Amino acid sequence: MENKIDFKLPETVVSEALTAVNTALTVLKPYLIALSPAERRSLPKMNDGTQPFVQKCLEYCESDPQFVPPYLSAEGFTDDMDAWSQLMSIFRPVQQLCSNLDDTTMEAGSESYMAALSYYNSVKQAAKMDIPGAKPIYDDLKKRFSENGPKKSEPAEN
């Protein structure tokens, strides 16, 4: 069993990180929206492939305004693109942070669960060998694997 999580996270680091995250949430809250799943599915998506096209159209709106349709606000277009660019500069490192947090918590959880299974199997063997004190621990822990308890094939949780 490889032990990739071989550290104790100092409480000061946890506190400082939570403060930074909460500060970011507070600062950005007035500018963020929430979309329903249906809204997310229905929106055309901006990505690295569409961004140059959108940028080029914005530049043409500014250089050749005679082609801007009356229902399109060139100023609104500019504001939307500016907001997208600014928010993406924040989103990318946050996305990397989320991915790394997800990987690290998954690994820490997996290592913890494997350690728990090792202990459980040791207690199980001790109970089979009638070692004093093992049976009550085994009886308590085996509930996890009973018919009414969670199944072994449960997906890993973070």
Side-chain angles (χ1 to χ4, degrees), residues 79-115:
D79 291 348
D80 289 346
M81 189 60 176
D82 288 346
W84 181 83
S85 296
Q86 291 170 322
L87 291 169
M88 286 306 291
S89 73
I90 298 166
F91 181 68
R92 285 185 178 114
V94 168
Q95 193 174 34
Q96 184 178 13
L97 172 64
C98 286
S99 178
N100 291 344
L101 280 170
D102 188 42
D103 289 348
T104 307
T105 56
M106 183 177 288
E107 181 67 30
S110 178
E111 288 181 18
S112 297
Y113 186 47
M114 294 299 292

Short mmCIF file of all heavy atoms in Angstrom, two decimals, residues 79-115:
data_model
loop_
_atom_site.label_atom_id
_atom_site.label_comp_id
_atom_site.label_asym_id
_atom_site.label_seq_id
_atom_site.Cartn_x
_atom_site.Cartn_y
_atom_site.Cartn_z
N ASP A 79 -18.63 44.49 -23.13
CA ASP A 79 -18.69 44.22 -21.68
C ASP A 79 -18.71 42.72 -21.40
O ASP A 79 -18.03 42.23 -20.48
CB ASP A 79 -19.92 44.87 -21.06
CG ASP A 79 -19.83 46.39 -21.03
OD1 ASP A 79 -18.73 46.95 -21.27
OD2 ASP A 79 -20.88 47.04 -20.78
N ASP A 80 -19.50 41.97 -22.19
CA ASP A 80 -19.56 40.51 -21.99
C ASP A 80 -18.20 39.86 -22.23
O ASP A 80 -17.77 38.99 -21.47
CB ASP A 80 -20.59 39.89 -22.93
CG ASP A 80 -22.03 40.21 -22.56
OD1 ASP A 80 -22.26 40.69 -21.43
OD2 ASP A 80 -22.91 39.97 -23.41
N MET A 81 -17.52 40.29 -23.28
CA MET A 81 -16.21 39.71 -23.60
C MET A 81 -15.17 40.09 -22.55
O MET A 81 -14.36 39.24 -22.16
CB MET A 81 -15.77 40.17 -25.00
CG MET A 81 -14.55 39.46 -25.51
SD MET A 81 -14.82 37.67 -25.62
CE MET A 81 -13.27 37.19 -26.33
N ASP A 82 -15.23 41.32 -22.07
CA ASP A 82 -14.32 41.72 -21.00
C ASP A 82 -14.56 40.89 -19.74
O ASP A 82 -13.62 40.42 -19.10
CB ASP A 82 -14.47 43.21 -20.68
CG ASP A 82 -13.91 44.13 -21.75
OD1 ASP A 82 -13.16 43.64 -22.63
OD2 ASP A 82 -14.22 45.34 -21.71
N ALA A 83 -15.85 40.71 -19.39
CA ALA A 83 -16.19 39.91 -18.20
C ALA A 83 -15.71 38.48 -18.37
O ALA A 83 -15.14 37.89 -17.44
CB ALA A 83 -17.70 39.94 -17.96
N TRP A 84 -15.92 37.91 -19.55
CA TRP A 84 -15.47 36.54 -19.80
C TRP A 84 -13.96 36.43 -19.62
O TRP A 84 -13.47 35.51 -18.94
CB TRP A 84 -15.87 36.10 -21.22
CG TRP A 84 -15.46 34.69 -21.53
CD1 TRP A 84 -16.13 33.55 -21.19
CD2 TRP A 84 -14.27 34.28 -22.20
NE1 TRP A 84 -15.43 32.45 -21.63
CE2 TRP A 84 -14.28 32.86 -22.26
CE3 TRP A 84 -13.19 34.94 -22.77
CZ2 TRP A 84 -13.28 32.13 -22.85
CZ3 TRP A 84 -12.19 34.21 -23.37
CH2 TRP A 84 -12.23 32.81 -23.40
N SER A 85 -13.23 37.35 -20.21
CA SER A 85 -11.76 37.31 -20.12
C SER A 85 -11.29 37.45 -18.67
O SER A 85 -10.41 36.71 -18.22
CB SER A 85 -11.14 38.43 -20.95
OG SER A 85 -11.42 38.24 -22.31
N GLN A 86 -11.87 38.39 -17.95
CA GLN A 86 -11.48 38.59 -16.55
C GLN A 86 -11.82 37.37 -15.69
O GLN A 86 -11.00 36.92 -14.89
CB GLN A 86 -12.17 39.84 -15.98
CG GLN A 86 -11.67 41.12 -16.58
CD GLN A 86 -12.55 42.30 -16.18
OE1 GLN A 86 -13.77 42.19 -16.11
NE2 GLN A 86 -11.91 43.44 -15.94
N LEU A 87 -13.04 36.86 -15.86
CA LEU A 87 -13.45 35.71 -15.06
C LEU A 87 -12.65 34.45 -15.41
O LEU A 87 -12.33 33.66 -14.52
CB LEU A 87 -14.95 35.46 -15.21
CG LEU A 87 -15.84 36.54 -14.58
CD1 LEU A 87 -17.29 36.35 -15.01
CD2 LEU A 87 -15.70 36.56 -13.07
N MET A 88 -12.30 34.28 -16.68
CA MET A 88 -11.49 33.13 -17.05
C MET A 88 -10.10 33.20 -16.42
O MET A 88 -9.52 32.16 -16.08
CB MET A 88 -11.38 33.01 -18.58
CG MET A 88 -12.65 32.50 -19.24
SD MET A 88 -13.28 30.93 -18.60
CE MET A 88 -12.03 29.80 -19.17
N SER A 89 -9.56 34.40 -16.26
CA SER A 89 -8.25 34.52 -15.62
C SER A 89 -8.31 34.09 -14.15
O SER A 89 -7.30 33.69 -13.58
CB SER A 89 -7.70 35.95 -15.75
OG SER A 89 -8.40 36.84 -14.89
N ILE A 90 -9.48 34.15 -13.56
CA ILE A 90 -9.68 33.67 -12.18
C ILE A 90 -10.05 32.18 -12.20
O ILE A 90 -9.56 31.38 -11.40
CB ILE A 90 -10.79 34.48 -11.48
CG1 ILE A 90 -10.41 35.96 -11.38
CG2 ILE A 90 -11.11 33.90 -10.10
CD1 ILE A 90 -11.56 36.87 -11.00
N PHE A 91 -10.91 31.82 -13.16
CA PHE A 91 -11.45 30.46 -13.21
C PHE A 91 -10.38 29.40 -13.46
O PHE A 91 -10.40 28.34 -12.84
CB PHE A 91 -12.54 30.38 -14.30
CG PHE A 91 -13.17 29.03 -14.41
CD1 PHE A 91 -13.98 28.53 -13.41
CD2 PHE A 91 -12.96 28.24 -15.54
CE1 PHE A 91 -14.58 27.28 -13.52
CE2 PHE A 91 -13.55 27.00 -15.67
CZ PHE A 91 -14.36 26.52 -14.65
N ARG A 92 -9.46 29.66 -14.35
CA ARG A 92 -8.46 28.64 -14.70
C ARG A 92 -7.64 28.18 -13.49
O ARG A 92 -7.52 26.97 -13.25
CB ARG A 92 -7.59 29.12 -15.84
CG ARG A 92 -8.33 29.07 -17.17
CD ARG A 92 -7.45 29.44 -18.36
NE ARG A 92 -8.20 29.33 -19.60
CZ ARG A 92 -8.51 30.37 -20.38
NH1 ARG A 92 -8.08 31.58 -20.06
NH2 ARG A 92 -9.20 30.18 -21.47
N PRO A 93 -7.05 29.10 -12.71
CA PRO A 93 -6.31 28.60 -11.53
C PRO A 93 -7.23 27.97 -10.48
O PRO A 93 -6.83 27.02 -9.80
CB PRO A 93 -5.58 29.82 -10.99
CG PRO A 93 -6.18 31.01 -11.65
CD PRO A 93 -6.86 30.53 -12.90
N VAL A 94 -8.47 28.47 -10.36
CA VAL A 94 -9.40 27.87 -9.42
C VAL A 94 -9.78 26.46 -9.88
O VAL A 94 -9.87 25.53 -9.07
CB VAL A 94 -10.66 28.76 -9.24
CG1 VAL A 94 -11.76 28.02 -8.50
CG2 VAL A 94 -10.30 30.05 -8.52
N GLN A 95 -9.95 26.28 -11.18
CA GLN A 95 -10.25 24.96 -11.73
C GLN A 95 -9.10 23.99 -11.45
O GLN A 95 -9.33 22.84 -11.07
CB GLN A 95 -10.49 25.10 -13.24
CG GLN A 95 -11.12 23.90 -13.89
CD GLN A 95 -11.45 24.18 -15.36
OE1 GLN A 95 -10.74 24.92 -16.04
NE2 GLN A 95 -12.52 23.59 -15.82
N GLN A 96 -7.87 24.46 -11.61
CA GLN A 96 -6.70 23.62 -11.31
C GLN A 96 -6.68 23.28 -9.82
O GLN A 96 -6.43 22.14 -9.43
CB GLN A 96 -5.42 24.33 -11.72
CG GLN A 96 -4.19 23.49 -11.52
CD GLN A 96 -2.92 24.22 -11.98
OE1 GLN A 96 -2.91 25.42 -12.22
NE2 GLN A 96 -1.85 23.47 -12.09
N LEU A 97 -6.97 24.27 -8.98
CA LEU A 97 -7.02 24.05 -7.53
C LEU A 97 -8.09 23.00 -7.20
O LEU A 97 -7.83 22.07 -6.44
CB LEU A 97 -7.31 25.36 -6.79
CG LEU A 97 -7.57 25.26 -5.30
CD1 LEU A 97 -6.33 24.77 -4.55
CD2 LEU A 97 -8.02 26.62 -4.75
N CYS A 98 -9.27 23.13 -7.79
CA CYS A 98 -10.36 22.17 -7.54
C CYS A 98 -9.96 20.77 -7.96
O CYS A 98 -10.22 19.80 -7.24
CB CYS A 98 -11.63 22.61 -8.26
SG CYS A 98 -12.44 24.01 -7.49
N SER A 99 -9.34 20.65 -9.11
CA SER A 99 -8.90 19.35 -9.60
C SER A 99 -7.88 18.73 -8.64
O SER A 99 -7.97 17.54 -8.30
CB SER A 99 -8.31 19.48 -11.00
OG SER A 99 -7.85 18.24 -11.46
N ASN A 100 -6.91 19.52 -8.20
CA ASN A 100 -5.89 19.01 -7.29
C ASN A 100 -6.48 18.69 -5.92
O ASN A 100 -6.08 17.69 -5.29
CB ASN A 100 -4.74 20.00 -7.16
CG ASN A 100 -3.93 20.12 -8.44
OD1 ASN A 100 -4.02 19.27 -9.33
ND2 ASN A 100 -3.15 21.17 -8.56
N LEU A 101 -7.43 19.51 -5.44
CA LEU A 101 -8.09 19.20 -4.18
C LEU A 101 -8.88 17.91 -4.30
O LEU A 101 -8.85 17.07 -3.39
CB LEU A 101 -9.04 20.34 -3.77
CG LEU A 101 -8.41 21.56 -3.12
CD1 LEU A 101 -9.44 22.69 -3.02
CD2 LEU A 101 -7.85 21.22 -1.75
N ASP A 102 -9.57 17.72 -5.42
CA ASP A 102 -10.34 16.51 -5.64
C ASP A 102 -9.43 15.28 -5.64
O ASP A 102 -9.72 14.27 -4.99
CB ASP A 102 -11.11 16.62 -6.95
CG ASP A 102 -12.08 15.48 -7.16
OD1 ASP A 102 -12.77 15.08 -6.20
OD2 ASP A 102 -12.15 14.98 -8.30
N ASP A 103 -8.32 15.36 -6.36
CA ASP A 103 -7.37 14.24 -6.42
C ASP A 103 -6.79 13.93 -5.04
O ASP A 103 -6.69 12.77 -4.65
CB ASP A 103 -6.23 14.54 -7.40
CG ASP A 103 -6.67 14.55 -8.84
OD1 ASP A 103 -7.79 14.10 -9.14
OD2 ASP A 103 -5.88 15.03 -9.69
N THR A 104 -6.41 14.98 -4.31
CA THR A 104 -5.77 14.79 -3.01
C THR A 104 -6.75 14.24 -1.98
O THR A 104 -6.41 13.32 -1.22
CB THR A 104 -5.13 16.10 -2.52
OG1 THR A 104 -4.26 16.61 -3.55
CG2 THR A 104 -4.33 15.89 -1.25
N THR A 105 -7.99 14.77 -1.97
CA THR A 105 -8.97 14.23 -1.01
C THR A 105 -9.35 12.80 -1.38
O THR A 105 -9.57 11.98 -0.49
CB THR A 105 -10.23 15.11 -0.91
OG1 THR A 105 -10.81 15.27 -2.20
CG2 THR A 105 -9.91 16.47 -0.32
N MET A 106 -9.40 12.50 -2.68
CA MET A 106 -9.71 11.13 -3.09
C MET A 106 -8.61 10.18 -2.61
O MET A 106 -8.89 9.11 -2.07
CB MET A 106 -9.87 11.04 -4.60
CG MET A 106 -10.27 9.66 -5.07
SD MET A 106 -10.56 9.55 -6.84
CE MET A 106 -12.10 10.44 -6.95
N GLU A 107 -7.35 10.57 -2.80
CA GLU A 107 -6.24 9.73 -2.36
C GLU A 107 -6.23 9.58 -0.84
O GLU A 107 -6.06 8.47 -0.32
CB GLU A 107 -4.90 10.32 -2.85
CG GLU A 107 -3.69 9.50 -2.46
CD GLU A 107 -3.61 8.14 -3.14
OE1 GLU A 107 -4.10 7.99 -4.28
OE2 GLU A 107 -3.04 7.21 -2.54
N ALA A 108 -6.42 10.69 -0.12
CA ALA A 108 -6.42 10.62 1.35
C ALA A 108 -7.57 9.74 1.84
O ALA A 108 -7.40 8.93 2.77
CB ALA A 108 -6.54 12.03 1.95
N GLY A 109 -8.73 9.87 1.22
CA GLY A 109 -9.87 9.03 1.60
C GLY A 109 -9.62 7.57 1.30
O GLY A 109 -9.94 6.69 2.10
N SER A 110 -9.01 7.30 0.15
CA SER A 110 -8.71 5.92 -0.23
C SER A 110 -7.70 5.31 0.74
O SER A 110 -7.88 4.16 1.18
CB SER A 110 -8.16 5.88 -1.65
OG SER A 110 -7.82 4.57 -2.01
N GLU A 111 -6.66 6.06 1.05
CA GLU A 111 -5.66 5.54 2.00
C GLU A 111 -6.28 5.30 3.37
O GLU A 111 -5.97 4.30 4.04
CB GLU A 111 -4.48 6.50 2.10
CG GLU A 111 -3.60 6.49 0.86
CD GLU A 111 -2.40 7.40 0.94
OE1 GLU A 111 -2.01 7.82 2.05
OE2 GLU A 111 -1.81 7.69 -0.12
N SER A 112 -7.17 6.21 3.80
CA SER A 112 -7.84 6.03 5.10
C SER A 112 -8.72 4.79 5.08
O SER A 112 -8.74 4.00 6.04
CB SER A 112 -8.69 7.27 5.42
OG SER A 112 -7.88 8.40 5.55
N TYR A 113 -9.47 4.61 3.99
CA TYR A 113 -10.36 3.46 3.88
C TYR A 113 -9.57 2.16 3.85
O TYR A 113 -9.93 1.17 4.50
CB TYR A 113 -11.26 3.60 2.65
CG TYR A 113 -12.32 2.54 2.52
CD1 TYR A 113 -13.12 2.17 3.60
CD2 TYR A 113 -12.53 1.91 1.31
CE1 TYR A 113 -14.10 1.20 3.47
CE2 TYR A 113 -13.51 0.93 1.18
CZ TYR A 113 -14.29 0.58 2.26
OH TYR A 113 -15.25 -0.38 2.13
N MET A 114 -8.45 2.14 3.12
CA MET A 114 -7.60 0.95 3.07
C MET A 114 -7.02 0.63 4.45
O MET A 114 -6.95 -0.54 4.84
CB MET A 114 -6.49 1.12 2.04
CG MET A 114 -6.99 1.21 0.60
SD MET A 114 -7.89 -0.25 0.04
CE MET A 114 -6.57 -1.43 0.02
N ALA A 115 -6.63 1.66 5.19
CA ALA A 115 -6.12 1.44 6.56
C ALA A 115 -7.22 0.87 7.44
O ALA A 115 -6.99 -0.06 8.23
CB ALA A 115 -5.58 2.75 7.14
#
